[in-house]
Short mmCIF file of all heavy atoms in Angstrom, two decimals:
data_model
loop_
_atom_site.label_atom_id
_atom_site.label_comp_id
_atom_site.label_asym_id
_atom_site.label_seq_id
_atom_site.Cartn_x
_atom_site.Cartn_y
_atom_site.Cartn_z
N MET G 6 63.82 -72.87 -9.50
CA MET G 6 63.36 -72.11 -10.72
C MET G 6 62.19 -71.29 -10.29
O MET G 6 61.29 -71.74 -9.71
CB MET G 6 62.98 -73.17 -11.77
CG MET G 6 62.35 -72.52 -12.99
SD MET G 6 61.75 -73.77 -14.21
CE MET G 6 60.33 -74.44 -13.39
N ILE G 7 62.30 -70.03 -10.75
CA ILE G 7 61.14 -69.07 -10.41
C ILE G 7 59.95 -69.50 -11.30
O ILE G 7 60.06 -69.65 -12.50
CB ILE G 7 61.59 -67.66 -10.70
CG1 ILE G 7 62.64 -67.16 -9.73
CG2 ILE G 7 60.33 -66.70 -10.69
CD1 ILE G 7 62.19 -66.99 -8.34
N ILE G 8 58.85 -69.65 -10.66
CA ILE G 8 57.58 -69.95 -11.37
C ILE G 8 56.77 -68.66 -11.57
O ILE G 8 56.29 -68.39 -12.64
CB ILE G 8 56.73 -71.00 -10.66
CG1 ILE G 8 57.37 -72.39 -10.88
CG2 ILE G 8 55.30 -71.00 -11.14
CD1 ILE G 8 56.57 -73.57 -10.42
N CYS G 9 56.69 -67.90 -10.51
CA CYS G 9 55.94 -66.61 -10.58
C CYS G 9 56.86 -65.42 -10.24
O CYS G 9 57.28 -65.22 -9.11
CB CYS G 9 54.78 -66.66 -9.58
SG CYS G 9 53.82 -65.13 -9.56
N SER G 10 57.23 -64.75 -11.37
CA SER G 10 58.16 -63.64 -11.15
C SER G 10 57.43 -62.46 -10.50
O SER G 10 58.08 -61.65 -9.81
CB SER G 10 58.82 -63.24 -12.50
OG SER G 10 57.85 -62.99 -13.46
N CYS G 11 56.15 -62.35 -10.71
CA CYS G 11 55.41 -61.25 -10.06
C CYS G 11 55.48 -61.32 -8.54
O CYS G 11 55.58 -60.36 -7.84
CB CYS G 11 53.95 -61.19 -10.52
SG CYS G 11 53.81 -60.76 -12.28
N ALA G 12 55.29 -62.54 -8.05
CA ALA G 12 55.34 -62.80 -6.58
C ALA G 12 56.65 -63.33 -6.09
O ALA G 12 56.82 -63.57 -4.84
CB ALA G 12 54.25 -63.77 -6.19
N ASN G 13 57.59 -63.52 -7.00
CA ASN G 13 58.99 -64.07 -6.68
C ASN G 13 58.84 -65.41 -5.92
O ASN G 13 59.38 -65.59 -4.88
CB ASN G 13 59.73 -63.06 -5.83
CG ASN G 13 61.20 -63.45 -5.78
OD1 ASN G 13 61.72 -64.10 -6.70
ND2 ASN G 13 61.91 -63.05 -4.71
N ILE G 14 58.10 -66.34 -6.59
CA ILE G 14 57.86 -67.67 -5.95
C ILE G 14 58.51 -68.70 -6.89
O ILE G 14 58.22 -68.71 -8.09
CB ILE G 14 56.37 -67.91 -5.80
CG1 ILE G 14 55.69 -66.90 -4.87
CG2 ILE G 14 56.10 -69.34 -5.36
CD1 ILE G 14 56.22 -66.98 -3.46
N ASN G 15 59.26 -69.59 -6.25
CA ASN G 15 59.89 -70.66 -7.04
C ASN G 15 59.11 -71.94 -6.89
O ASN G 15 58.16 -72.07 -6.11
CB ASN G 15 61.37 -70.83 -6.62
CG ASN G 15 61.52 -71.17 -5.13
OD1 ASN G 15 60.65 -71.82 -4.59
ND2 ASN G 15 62.65 -70.80 -4.57
N ASP G 16 59.55 -72.94 -7.69
CA ASP G 16 58.80 -74.22 -7.75
C ASP G 16 58.88 -74.91 -6.40
O ASP G 16 57.99 -75.61 -6.03
CB ASP G 16 59.37 -75.10 -8.86
CG ASP G 16 60.87 -75.39 -8.73
OD1 ASP G 16 61.58 -74.54 -8.23
OD2 ASP G 16 61.24 -76.50 -9.13
N ARG G 17 59.98 -74.73 -5.62
CA ARG G 17 60.08 -75.36 -4.34
C ARG G 17 59.00 -74.90 -3.38
O ARG G 17 58.40 -75.69 -2.64
CB ARG G 17 61.49 -75.06 -3.77
CG ARG G 17 61.88 -75.98 -2.66
CD ARG G 17 63.39 -75.78 -2.36
NE ARG G 17 63.68 -74.33 -2.16
CZ ARG G 17 63.91 -73.77 -1.02
NH1 ARG G 17 63.97 -74.48 0.13
NH2 ARG G 17 64.17 -72.47 -0.91
N LYS G 18 58.67 -73.60 -3.43
CA LYS G 18 57.63 -73.10 -2.57
C LYS G 18 56.26 -73.64 -2.94
O LYS G 18 55.43 -73.96 -2.08
CB LYS G 18 57.65 -71.56 -2.52
CG LYS G 18 58.83 -71.00 -1.78
CD LYS G 18 58.70 -69.52 -1.60
CE LYS G 18 59.82 -68.98 -0.77
NZ LYS G 18 59.88 -67.48 -0.72
N VAL G 19 56.08 -73.78 -4.27
CA VAL G 19 54.81 -74.28 -4.75
C VAL G 19 54.69 -75.78 -4.32
O VAL G 19 53.61 -76.20 -3.78
CB VAL G 19 54.66 -74.17 -6.25
CG1 VAL G 19 53.49 -74.92 -6.78
CG2 VAL G 19 54.67 -72.74 -6.71
N LYS G 20 55.79 -76.54 -4.41
CA LYS G 20 55.77 -77.94 -4.00
C LYS G 20 55.55 -78.01 -2.49
O LYS G 20 54.80 -78.95 -2.02
CB LYS G 20 57.09 -78.61 -4.36
CG LYS G 20 57.21 -78.86 -5.86
CD LYS G 20 58.52 -79.39 -6.26
CE LYS G 20 58.58 -79.47 -7.81
NZ LYS G 20 59.95 -79.64 -8.26
N GLN G 21 56.10 -77.12 -1.67
CA GLN G 21 55.87 -77.13 -0.23
C GLN G 21 54.40 -76.86 0.03
O GLN G 21 53.82 -77.51 0.94
CB GLN G 21 56.71 -76.04 0.45
CG GLN G 21 58.18 -76.42 0.53
CD GLN G 21 59.01 -75.28 1.20
OE1 GLN G 21 58.65 -74.12 1.05
NE2 GLN G 21 60.11 -75.64 1.78
N ALA G 22 53.82 -75.95 -0.67
CA ALA G 22 52.38 -75.64 -0.41
C ALA G 22 51.55 -76.84 -0.79
O ALA G 22 50.63 -77.14 -0.03
CB ALA G 22 51.97 -74.43 -1.30
N LEU G 23 51.88 -77.53 -1.85
CA LEU G 23 51.14 -78.81 -2.20
C LEU G 23 51.36 -79.82 -1.18
O LEU G 23 50.37 -80.53 -0.77
CB LEU G 23 51.57 -79.22 -3.60
CG LEU G 23 51.25 -78.27 -4.74
CD1 LEU G 23 51.94 -78.70 -6.01
CD2 LEU G 23 49.75 -78.16 -4.97
N ALA G 24 52.54 -79.97 -0.69
CA ALA G 24 52.83 -81.00 0.37
C ALA G 24 52.12 -80.66 1.65
O ALA G 24 51.82 -81.59 2.42
CB ALA G 24 54.36 -81.08 0.61
N CYS G 25 51.80 -79.45 1.88
CA CYS G 25 51.11 -79.00 3.06
C CYS G 25 49.56 -78.98 2.87
O CYS G 25 48.84 -78.55 3.76
CB CYS G 25 51.57 -77.60 3.54
SG CYS G 25 53.26 -77.65 4.16
N GLY G 26 49.06 -79.44 1.74
CA GLY G 26 47.67 -79.64 1.60
C GLY G 26 46.94 -78.80 0.54
O GLY G 26 45.74 -78.97 0.30
N ALA G 27 47.70 -77.89 -0.09
CA ALA G 27 46.99 -77.07 -1.19
C ALA G 27 46.67 -78.06 -2.28
O ALA G 27 47.45 -78.94 -2.60
CB ALA G 27 47.98 -76.00 -1.71
N ARG G 28 45.46 -77.95 -2.81
CA ARG G 28 44.97 -78.90 -3.84
C ARG G 28 44.61 -78.24 -5.16
O ARG G 28 44.64 -78.90 -6.22
CB ARG G 28 43.81 -79.66 -3.33
CG ARG G 28 44.06 -80.58 -2.16
CD ARG G 28 42.96 -81.53 -1.91
NE ARG G 28 42.56 -82.35 -3.09
CZ ARG G 28 43.14 -83.46 -3.41
NH1 ARG G 28 44.17 -83.90 -2.80
NH2 ARG G 28 42.72 -84.15 -4.48
N THR G 29 44.33 -76.96 -5.09
CA THR G 29 43.82 -76.26 -6.35
C THR G 29 44.70 -75.04 -6.60
O THR G 29 45.45 -74.60 -5.73
CB THR G 29 42.38 -75.87 -6.17
OG1 THR G 29 42.30 -74.91 -5.13
CG2 THR G 29 41.47 -77.08 -5.82
N LEU G 30 44.47 -74.47 -7.81
CA LEU G 30 45.14 -73.24 -8.10
C LEU G 30 44.76 -72.18 -7.10
O LEU G 30 45.54 -71.37 -6.66
CB LEU G 30 44.80 -72.82 -9.53
CG LEU G 30 45.36 -71.50 -10.00
CD1 LEU G 30 46.89 -71.49 -10.03
CD2 LEU G 30 44.78 -71.17 -11.40
N SER G 31 43.47 -72.14 -6.72
CA SER G 31 42.98 -71.14 -5.78
C SER G 31 43.76 -71.30 -4.40
O SER G 31 44.06 -70.34 -3.75
CB SER G 31 41.52 -71.30 -5.48
OG SER G 31 40.81 -70.96 -6.70
N ASP G 32 43.91 -72.57 -4.03
CA ASP G 32 44.66 -72.84 -2.73
C ASP G 32 46.10 -72.26 -2.84
O ASP G 32 46.55 -71.60 -1.89
CB ASP G 32 44.75 -74.31 -2.51
CG ASP G 32 43.43 -74.99 -2.13
OD1 ASP G 32 42.51 -74.29 -1.78
OD2 ASP G 32 43.37 -76.23 -2.21
N VAL G 33 46.75 -72.50 -3.97
CA VAL G 33 48.14 -72.10 -4.08
C VAL G 33 48.21 -70.56 -4.21
O VAL G 33 49.07 -69.88 -3.63
CB VAL G 33 48.83 -72.71 -5.33
CG1 VAL G 33 50.27 -72.27 -5.44
CG2 VAL G 33 48.80 -74.27 -5.10
N GLN G 34 47.21 -69.96 -4.90
CA GLN G 34 47.10 -68.52 -4.95
C GLN G 34 46.98 -67.89 -3.56
O GLN G 34 47.61 -66.95 -3.18
CB GLN G 34 45.87 -68.09 -5.81
CG GLN G 34 46.12 -68.25 -7.28
CD GLN G 34 44.85 -67.87 -8.05
OE1 GLN G 34 43.77 -68.40 -7.75
NE2 GLN G 34 45.01 -67.08 -9.12
N ALA G 35 46.07 -68.50 -2.75
CA ALA G 35 45.82 -67.97 -1.41
C ALA G 35 46.99 -68.13 -0.55
O ALA G 35 47.33 -67.27 0.30
CB ALA G 35 44.61 -68.67 -0.78
N GLU G 36 47.76 -69.24 -0.65
CA GLU G 36 48.91 -69.49 0.14
C GLU G 36 50.10 -68.65 -0.26
O GLU G 36 50.85 -68.17 0.61
CB GLU G 36 49.21 -71.00 0.04
CG GLU G 36 50.35 -71.43 0.96
CD GLU G 36 49.99 -71.45 2.43
OE1 GLU G 36 48.77 -71.58 2.77
OE2 GLU G 36 50.89 -71.25 3.23
N LEU G 37 50.34 -68.55 -1.58
CA LEU G 37 51.63 -67.95 -1.98
C LEU G 37 51.49 -66.64 -2.80
O LEU G 37 52.42 -65.96 -3.07
CB LEU G 37 52.34 -68.92 -2.88
CG LEU G 37 52.72 -70.24 -2.22
CD1 LEU G 37 53.34 -71.17 -3.22
CD2 LEU G 37 53.67 -69.97 -1.00
N GLY G 38 50.26 -66.32 -3.23
CA GLY G 38 50.01 -65.13 -4.00
C GLY G 38 50.47 -65.22 -5.50
O GLY G 38 50.63 -64.26 -6.17
N VAL G 39 50.64 -66.48 -5.95
CA VAL G 39 50.96 -66.71 -7.35
C VAL G 39 49.77 -66.45 -8.21
O VAL G 39 48.63 -66.53 -7.81
CB VAL G 39 51.51 -68.15 -7.59
CG1 VAL G 39 52.78 -68.40 -6.74
CG2 VAL G 39 50.47 -69.18 -7.28
N ALA G 40 50.04 -66.22 -9.52
CA ALA G 40 49.04 -66.10 -10.53
C ALA G 40 48.01 -65.02 -10.22
O ALA G 40 46.84 -65.09 -10.60
CB ALA G 40 48.32 -67.42 -10.83
N MET G 41 48.42 -63.97 -9.49
CA MET G 41 47.51 -62.86 -9.19
C MET G 41 47.97 -61.60 -9.75
O MET G 41 47.36 -60.54 -9.49
CB MET G 41 47.40 -62.79 -7.68
CG MET G 41 46.82 -64.08 -7.04
SD MET G 41 46.70 -64.03 -5.24
CE MET G 41 45.18 -63.16 -5.01
N GLY G 42 49.06 -61.60 -10.51
CA GLY G 42 49.53 -60.44 -11.16
C GLY G 42 49.23 -60.53 -12.70
O GLY G 42 48.07 -60.51 -13.09
N CYS G 43 50.25 -60.75 -13.40
CA CYS G 43 50.09 -60.82 -14.93
C CYS G 43 49.36 -62.10 -15.33
O CYS G 43 48.79 -62.14 -16.39
CB CYS G 43 51.42 -60.69 -15.58
SG CYS G 43 52.49 -62.18 -15.38
N GLY G 44 49.46 -63.16 -14.53
CA GLY G 44 48.82 -64.43 -14.87
C GLY G 44 49.56 -65.37 -15.77
O GLY G 44 49.09 -66.41 -16.05
N SER G 45 50.73 -64.94 -16.17
CA SER G 45 51.48 -65.74 -17.12
C SER G 45 52.02 -67.06 -16.49
O SER G 45 52.37 -67.98 -17.17
CB SER G 45 52.66 -65.01 -17.77
OG SER G 45 53.59 -64.62 -16.77
N CYS G 46 52.02 -67.13 -15.16
CA CYS G 46 52.51 -68.37 -14.50
C CYS G 46 51.42 -69.39 -14.19
O CYS G 46 51.66 -70.47 -13.76
CB CYS G 46 53.15 -68.02 -13.17
SG CYS G 46 51.97 -67.18 -12.02
N ARG G 47 50.21 -69.05 -14.53
CA ARG G 47 49.06 -69.87 -14.24
C ARG G 47 49.21 -71.33 -14.72
O ARG G 47 49.03 -72.27 -13.97
CB ARG G 47 47.82 -69.25 -14.90
CG ARG G 47 46.52 -69.56 -14.29
CD ARG G 47 45.42 -68.84 -15.00
NE ARG G 47 44.16 -69.08 -14.44
CZ ARG G 47 43.61 -68.47 -13.41
NH1 ARG G 47 44.21 -67.40 -12.93
NH2 ARG G 47 42.49 -68.80 -12.97
N ASP G 48 49.60 -71.49 -15.99
CA ASP G 48 49.78 -72.84 -16.50
C ASP G 48 50.90 -73.59 -15.79
O ASP G 48 50.83 -74.78 -15.55
CB ASP G 48 50.04 -72.80 -18.00
CG ASP G 48 48.83 -72.41 -18.79
OD1 ASP G 48 47.73 -72.39 -18.23
OD2 ASP G 48 48.98 -72.08 -20.00
N ALA G 49 51.98 -72.93 -15.46
CA ALA G 49 53.08 -73.56 -14.77
C ALA G 49 52.68 -74.03 -13.40
O ALA G 49 53.04 -75.10 -12.97
CB ALA G 49 54.27 -72.59 -14.71
N VAL G 50 51.89 -73.14 -12.75
CA VAL G 50 51.43 -73.57 -11.34
C VAL G 50 50.49 -74.75 -11.51
O VAL G 50 50.52 -75.73 -10.78
CB VAL G 50 50.71 -72.39 -10.63
CG1 VAL G 50 50.07 -72.79 -9.37
CG2 VAL G 50 51.73 -71.27 -10.46
N GLN G 51 49.59 -74.69 -12.48
CA GLN G 51 48.60 -75.78 -12.72
C GLN G 51 49.37 -77.10 -12.99
O GLN G 51 49.02 -78.13 -12.62
CB GLN G 51 47.65 -75.43 -13.85
CG GLN G 51 46.49 -76.39 -13.92
CD GLN G 51 45.62 -76.41 -12.63
OE1 GLN G 51 45.07 -75.41 -12.22
NE2 GLN G 51 45.58 -77.58 -12.05
N ASP G 52 50.45 -76.93 -13.83
CA ASP G 52 51.30 -78.12 -14.15
C ASP G 52 51.88 -78.72 -12.90
O ASP G 52 51.92 -80.01 -12.74
CB ASP G 52 52.44 -77.81 -15.13
CG ASP G 52 51.86 -77.52 -16.54
OD1 ASP G 52 50.68 -77.85 -16.83
OD2 ASP G 52 52.67 -77.03 -17.36
N GLU G 53 52.37 -77.94 -11.96
CA GLU G 53 52.94 -78.41 -10.70
C GLU G 53 51.80 -79.12 -9.93
O GLU G 53 52.10 -80.19 -9.30
CB GLU G 53 53.51 -77.28 -9.88
CG GLU G 53 54.82 -76.77 -10.39
CD GLU G 53 55.98 -77.74 -10.25
OE1 GLU G 53 55.86 -78.71 -9.43
OE2 GLU G 53 56.91 -77.60 -11.10
N ILE G 54 50.63 -78.56 -9.88
CA ILE G 54 49.54 -79.20 -9.19
C ILE G 54 49.20 -80.58 -9.79
O ILE G 54 49.08 -81.56 -9.08
CB ILE G 54 48.27 -78.30 -9.18
CG1 ILE G 54 48.58 -77.01 -8.38
CG2 ILE G 54 47.08 -79.03 -8.58
CD1 ILE G 54 47.53 -75.92 -8.55
N SER G 55 49.15 -80.62 -11.12
CA SER G 55 48.81 -81.86 -11.80
C SER G 55 49.90 -82.91 -11.55
O SER G 55 49.63 -84.07 -11.34
CB SER G 55 48.65 -81.58 -13.33
OG SER G 55 47.57 -80.81 -13.56
N ARG G 56 51.11 -82.47 -11.64
CA ARG G 56 52.22 -83.41 -11.34
C ARG G 56 52.20 -83.94 -9.96
O ARG G 56 52.35 -85.15 -9.73
CB ARG G 56 53.66 -82.74 -11.59
CG ARG G 56 54.38 -83.20 -12.74
CD ARG G 56 55.83 -82.68 -12.76
NE ARG G 56 55.95 -81.29 -12.67
CZ ARG G 56 55.84 -80.39 -13.63
NH1 ARG G 56 55.57 -80.85 -14.87
NH2 ARG G 56 55.98 -79.11 -13.50
N HIS G 57 51.90 -83.05 -9.00
CA HIS G 57 51.86 -83.50 -7.61
C HIS G 57 50.81 -84.52 -7.33
O HIS G 57 50.89 -85.45 -6.62
CB HIS G 57 51.67 -82.29 -6.68
CG HIS G 57 51.77 -82.60 -5.23
ND1 HIS G 57 52.91 -82.76 -4.55
CD2 HIS G 57 50.73 -82.83 -4.30
CE1 HIS G 57 52.71 -83.10 -3.33
NE2 HIS G 57 51.34 -83.10 -3.10
N TYR G 58 49.59 -84.23 -7.95
CA TYR G 58 48.43 -85.13 -7.73
C TYR G 58 48.18 -86.07 -8.86
O TYR G 58 47.14 -86.67 -9.01
CB TYR G 58 47.20 -84.29 -7.52
CG TYR G 58 47.24 -83.57 -6.20
CD1 TYR G 58 47.44 -82.20 -6.14
CD2 TYR G 58 47.06 -84.31 -4.99
CE1 TYR G 58 47.50 -81.57 -4.90
CE2 TYR G 58 47.14 -83.62 -3.76
CZ TYR G 58 47.31 -82.27 -3.76
OH TYR G 58 47.37 -81.66 -2.51
N GLY G 59 49.23 -86.34 -9.66
CA GLY G 59 49.13 -87.33 -10.74
C GLY G 59 48.14 -86.98 -11.81
O GLY G 59 47.58 -87.88 -12.47
N GLY G 60 47.93 -85.70 -11.96
CA GLY G 60 47.05 -85.21 -13.08
C GLY G 60 45.59 -85.34 -12.80
O GLY G 60 44.78 -85.10 -13.67
N ALA G 61 45.21 -85.66 -11.59
CA ALA G 61 43.80 -85.88 -11.32
C ALA G 61 43.24 -84.98 -10.17
O ALA G 61 42.18 -85.26 -9.65
CB ALA G 61 43.62 -87.37 -10.89
N ALA G 62 43.96 -83.89 -9.82
CA ALA G 62 43.50 -83.08 -8.75
C ALA G 62 42.15 -82.41 -9.00
O ALA G 62 41.97 -81.61 -9.88
CB ALA G 62 44.45 -81.99 -8.46
N GLY G 63 41.17 -82.87 -8.26
CA GLY G 63 39.85 -82.28 -8.29
C GLY G 63 39.07 -82.44 -9.58
O GLY G 63 38.08 -81.78 -9.82
N VAL G 64 39.55 -83.30 -10.46
CA VAL G 64 38.96 -83.48 -11.71
C VAL G 64 38.37 -84.87 -11.81
O VAL G 64 39.15 -85.87 -11.71
CB VAL G 64 39.86 -83.20 -12.89
CG1 VAL G 64 39.23 -83.45 -14.25
CG2 VAL G 64 40.41 -81.81 -12.76
N ALA G 65 37.10 -85.05 -11.96
CA ALA G 65 36.49 -86.37 -12.15
C ALA G 65 36.90 -86.90 -13.50
O ALA G 65 37.05 -86.16 -14.48
CB ALA G 65 35.01 -86.29 -12.02
N PRO G 66 37.13 -88.21 -13.57
CA PRO G 66 37.50 -88.77 -14.90
C PRO G 66 36.37 -88.58 -15.88
O PRO G 66 35.20 -88.57 -15.52
CB PRO G 66 37.68 -90.26 -14.56
CG PRO G 66 37.25 -90.49 -13.18
CD PRO G 66 37.03 -89.16 -12.52
N ALA G 67 36.74 -88.32 -17.13
CA ALA G 67 35.73 -88.11 -18.10
C ALA G 67 34.97 -89.35 -18.43
O ALA G 67 35.55 -90.43 -18.41
CB ALA G 67 36.45 -87.58 -19.38
N TYR G 68 33.75 -89.20 -18.67
CA TYR G 68 32.91 -90.36 -18.98
C TYR G 68 33.29 -90.86 -20.38
O TYR G 68 33.42 -90.15 -21.37
CB TYR G 68 31.38 -89.96 -19.01
CG TYR G 68 30.49 -91.06 -19.48
CD1 TYR G 68 30.39 -92.23 -18.80
CD2 TYR G 68 29.65 -90.84 -20.63
CE1 TYR G 68 29.59 -93.25 -19.25
CE2 TYR G 68 28.77 -91.82 -21.05
CZ TYR G 68 28.78 -93.04 -20.36
OH TYR G 68 27.91 -93.94 -20.75
N SER G 69 33.58 -92.18 -20.45
CA SER G 69 34.10 -92.70 -21.70
C SER G 69 33.07 -92.99 -22.71
O SER G 69 33.34 -93.25 -23.88
CB SER G 69 34.85 -93.99 -21.36
OG SER G 69 33.98 -95.03 -20.96
N GLY G 70 31.78 -92.98 -22.30
CA GLY G 70 30.74 -93.29 -23.24
C GLY G 70 30.33 -94.81 -23.25
O GLY G 70 29.47 -95.18 -23.92
N GLU G 71 31.17 -95.56 -22.51
CA GLU G 71 30.91 -97.03 -22.48
C GLU G 71 30.21 -97.41 -21.18
O GLU G 71 30.64 -96.92 -20.13
CB GLU G 71 32.18 -97.79 -22.61
CG GLU G 71 32.88 -97.60 -23.95
CD GLU G 71 34.19 -98.33 -24.06
OE1 GLU G 71 34.31 -99.29 -23.32
OE2 GLU G 71 35.04 -97.91 -24.83
N LEU G 72 29.28 -98.23 -21.21
CA LEU G 72 28.67 -98.75 -20.03
C LEU G 72 29.52 -99.88 -19.46
O LEU G 72 30.21 -100.53 -20.18
CB LEU G 72 27.20 -99.28 -20.31
CG LEU G 72 26.25 -98.21 -20.83
CD1 LEU G 72 24.96 -98.89 -21.24
CD2 LEU G 72 25.99 -97.14 -19.80
N ALA G 73 29.38 -100.04 -18.16
CA ALA G 73 30.06 -101.15 -17.51
C ALA G 73 29.52 -102.48 -18.10
O ALA G 73 28.35 -102.57 -18.34
CB ALA G 73 29.94 -101.09 -16.07
N PRO G 74 30.34 -103.42 -18.31
CA PRO G 74 29.84 -104.73 -18.78
C PRO G 74 28.91 -105.37 -17.84
O PRO G 74 29.07 -105.34 -16.66
CB PRO G 74 31.09 -105.57 -19.00
CG PRO G 74 32.15 -104.91 -18.25
CD PRO G 74 31.80 -103.47 -18.04
N SER G 75 27.82 -105.90 -18.42
CA SER G 75 26.81 -106.62 -17.49
C SER G 75 27.34 -108.03 -17.28
O SER G 75 28.03 -108.56 -18.09
CB SER G 75 25.39 -106.58 -18.13
OG SER G 75 25.47 -107.17 -19.43
N VAL G 76 27.00 -108.49 -16.09
CA VAL G 76 27.51 -109.85 -15.72
C VAL G 76 26.43 -110.89 -15.98
O VAL G 76 25.29 -110.68 -15.92
CB VAL G 76 27.89 -109.89 -14.26
CG1 VAL G 76 28.62 -111.20 -13.99
CG2 VAL G 76 28.68 -108.67 -13.90
S1 FES Q 108 54.32 -64.40 -13.19
FE1 FES Q 108 52.82 -65.02 -11.77
S2 FES Q 108 51.34 -63.51 -11.83
FE2 FES Q 108 52.88 -62.78 -13.17
#
């Protein structure tokens, strides 16, 4: 399935870039040239990145507001 029609890049190529170490949207942009034209594929590329890294790529978990229980 084509993800970026501007750069003619499909999901397989994005997955390959991720398997080869790309971790961020910037990494995938640099590797494949996606999301550098109209930008409409940006969310789809970000979704692939999140799926590949289990939704936690480069994002620290949000602080829950709860302190760790004292022992
Ligand atoms: S569809 Fe990817 S930049 Fe336009």
Side-chain angles (χ1 to χ4, degrees):
M6 173 184 74
I7 294 291
I8 284 191
C9 179
S10 55
C11 292
N13 194 28
I14 297 295
N15 61 28
D16 60 326
R17 198 168 49 108
K18 287 186 177 176
V19 172
K20 287 173 185 166
Q21 282 176 336
L23 295 169
C25 290
R28 293 193 55 83
T29 65
L30 178 61
S31 294
D32 291 344
V33 181
Q34 283 176 311
E36 185 70 27
L37 301 174
V39 298
M41 298 177 81
C43 71
S45 66
C46 62
R47 202 177 181 89
D48 288 347
V50 174
Q51 191 61 61
D52 286 350
E53 285 293 337
I54 295 168
S55 295
R56 248 191 307 278
H57 185 81
Y58 289 107
V64 178
Y68 175 59
S69 68
E71 295 179 23
L72 297 173
S75 57
V76 190

